């Protein structure tokens, strides 16, 4: 089956720094999603990307759908303590939607020091 | 009340025991899923159901079974629990307009 490789596995940064993480796949996805998981909770959608090359922002978050459809990155600018959590990328084969089966990356654990 | 409710939130069980994890949703979504989360592995799909009469295996269905009792209810069973089934389990629903909604998870420990 499809596999997503997400990196880095963990990051320890100072408040105010920018963060970048990415996912690569051995096969093509038609939709890329980025989720955040807080302790004791399920993942919550941050950004959805539906077209190759698409660049989308949500506040301090920016994500891009790679032109080859095999990769995506997420940037967080000016990090704050509440950015702490686990970030997951997820890919979906179904085009133009975000509601079918998802394949998840391994997650990036983000720690922000005040 | 939460849109997707999982019970129990935490469970410790012994090897060989049968256990059921329950999920109910108030979102009216047709599609429901069970995922398992392990450290360093992300979330992996166990089973999914696109409507009440539709049940499909995911990538790691061995050792698990599911029941879709109604549109709002999707339960996951471990017929004979083993220690490597110790994990965090998530139920989720989805619809075309709003994507996924995850429950808060069930932390299962098999001793």
């Amino acid at each position: 089956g499809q596999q997503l490789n997400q990196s880095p596995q963990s990051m320890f940064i100072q408040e105010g720094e920018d963060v970048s993480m990415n996912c690569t796949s051995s096969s093509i996805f038609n939709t890329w999603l980025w989720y955040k998981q807080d302790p004791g909770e399920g993942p919550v959608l941050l950004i959805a990307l539906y077209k190759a090359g698409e660049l989308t922002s949500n506040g301090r978050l920016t994500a891009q759908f790679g032109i080859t459809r095999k990769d995506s990155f997420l940037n967080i600018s000016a990090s704050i303590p509440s950015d702490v959590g686990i970030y997951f990328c997820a890919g979906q084969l179904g085009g133009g939607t975000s509601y079918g089966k998802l394949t998840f990356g391994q997650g990036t654990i983000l720690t922000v020091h005040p | 009340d939460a849109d997707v409710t999982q019970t129990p939130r935490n469970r410790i069980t012994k090897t060989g025991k049968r256990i059921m994890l329950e999920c109910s949703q108030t979102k009216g979504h047709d599609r429901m899923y069970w995922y398992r989360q392990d450290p360093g592995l992300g979330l992996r799909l166990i089973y999914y159901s696109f409507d009440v009469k539709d049940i499909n295996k995911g990538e790691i269905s061995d050792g698990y079974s599911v029941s879709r009792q109604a549109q709002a209810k999707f339960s996951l069973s471990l017929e004979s629990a083993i220690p490597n089934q110790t994990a965090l389990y998530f139920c989720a629903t989805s619809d075309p307009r709003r994507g996924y909604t995850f429950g808060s998870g069930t932390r299962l420990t098999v001793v």
Side-chain angles (χ1 to χ4, degrees), chain A residues 20-23 34 49 55 62-65 71-75:
Chain A
S20 184
M21 59 191 78
N22 68 83
C23 267
W34 285 92
L49 302 157
L55 183 71
T62 302
Q64 184 159 29
F65 190 147
D71 63 312
S72 177
F73 72 75
L74 175 70
N75 287 341

Side-chain angles (χ1 to χ4, degrees), chain A residues 37 40-41 99-102, chain B residues 9 33 37 90 94-95 100:
Chain A
Q37 183 182 24
E41 299 296 331
Y99 77 113
K101 294 185 296 173
L102 299 180
Chain B
R9 288 297 309 270
Y33 309 80
Q37 182 180 8
F90 286 102
S94 69
D95 91 336
Y100 268 61

Side-chain angles (χ1 to χ4, degrees), chain B residues 1-5 24-27 101 104:
Chain B
D1 289 341
D3 293 326
V4 181
T5 302
S24 63
Q25 54 124 339
T26 58
K27 299 188 74 69
T101 302
S104 296

Side-chain angles (χ1 to χ4, degrees), chain A residues 2 9 33 35 37 40-45 50 86 88 92 96-107 109, chain B residues 9 31 33 35 37-38 40-45 48 50 59 88 90 94-96 98-105:
Chain A
Q2 299 89 11
Q9 290 187 342
L33 308 161
Y35 287 85
Q37 183 182 24
E41 299 296 331
V44 173
L45 182 66
Y50 300 112
I86 305 176
F88 291 101
Q92 183 186 282
T97 68
S98 59
Y99 77 113
K101 294 185 296 173
L102 299 180
T103 300
F104 283 84
Q106 302 94 327
I109 302 172
Chain B
R9 288 297 309 270
R31 298 187 174 200
Y33 309 80
Y35 284 87
Q37 182 180 8
D38 297 279
L41 295 178
L43 282 79
R44 293 178 293 166
L45 183 62
Y48 63 102
F50 283 177
E59 61 180 301
L88 187 55
F90 286 102
S94 69
D95 91 336
R98 299 193 181 278
Y100 268 61
T101 302
F102 283 88
S104 296

Side-chain angles (χ1 to χ4, degrees), chain B residues 2 4-9 21-24 34-35 89-92 102-107:
Chain B
V4 181
T5 302
Q6 291 184 234
T7 56
R9 288 297 309 270
L21 309 183
E22 308 214 28
C23 177
S24 63
W34 276 102
Y35 284 87
Y89 290 84
F90 286 102
C91 175
F102 283 88
S104 296
T106 294
R107 185 168 295 282

